Amino acid sequence: MHTKILRSSWTAGSANGQPGPVLVSITDFAPRRITDLPGIYRAARRLASGWQELDGAHGMWLWAERTGRRCGAVAVWRDHAALRGFVGWPPHMDIMRTYHGRGELTSVTWTSDTFHPGAVWARAQAELLAARTARPGPDGPPRYTWQTPRRPCRRHLAGRPDRNRGPRPAP
């Protein structure tokens, strides 16, 4: 079955049109519940409305699978520092806290010597379609996946090994 990826119009950022190398990032969120999608869409549009204030943001497209099972953004940045600035941006942090634990978040980045919208979107779409079936091999760009528990709390963590120090001793 052919999957259709829908995208928004381009949302320009403060670095839009500036020459030079760029960093492209794709975020891919697969919510556990489809009923979360309206809130996710509204939150993404709120982020887009403030895109001009982000230092080093060339711009971005929002995207979604026609089936509604995955959504995210393709963003173009001046460099890694600009992307880190976005990750720590308070409106972005609020969304991450709100939807933490409600699905699987995957991201992939790559660099390009110049920004050509058609070429960037074509590669992004190919990455998104490939992500449905398999993770890339050693020659593909790195993917970072986070699966968070629905409701992390101490009782869920009891008895689990500490990530850095090995198993916890029995009480």
Side-chain angles (χ1 to χ4, degrees), residues 7-23:
R7 73 172 180 180
S8 69
S9 59
W10 175 251
T11 300
S14 63
N16 190 44
Q18 293 180 2
V22 297
L23 173 72

Side-chain angles (χ1 to χ4, degrees), residues 60-85:
M60 64 98 172
W61 293 283
L62 296 174
W63 67 270
E65 261 186 0
R66 184 182 56 200
T67 63
R69 299 311 305 165
R70 294 167 53 223
C71 58
V74 175
V76 182
W77 307 97
R78 180 182 56 229
D79 52 26
H80 282 92
L83 174 57
R84 282 191 302 274

Side-chain angles (χ1 to χ4, degrees), residues 110 116-124:
W110 73 86
H116 297 289
V120 166
W121 179 254
R123 180 167 174 186

Side-chain angles (χ1 to χ4, degrees), residues 50-111:
W51 213 251
Q52 275 291 324
E53 72 184 69
L54 292 169
D55 185 42
H58 282 266
M60 64 98 172
W61 293 283
L62 296 174
W63 67 270
E65 261 186 0
R66 184 182 56 200
T67 63
R69 299 311 305 165
R70 294 167 53 223
C71 58
V74 175
V76 182
W77 307 97
R78 180 182 56 229
D79 52 26
H80 282 92
L83 174 57
R84 282 191 302 274
F86 167 72
V87 170
W89 188 38
H92 178 254
M93 297 291 294
D94 290 344
I95 291 169
M96 295 305 292
R97 276 191 291 275
T98 299
Y99 291 97
H100 177 81
R102 294 190 188 183
E104 179 182 336
L105 177 66
T106 304
S107 69
V108 63
T109 63
W110 73 86
T111 58

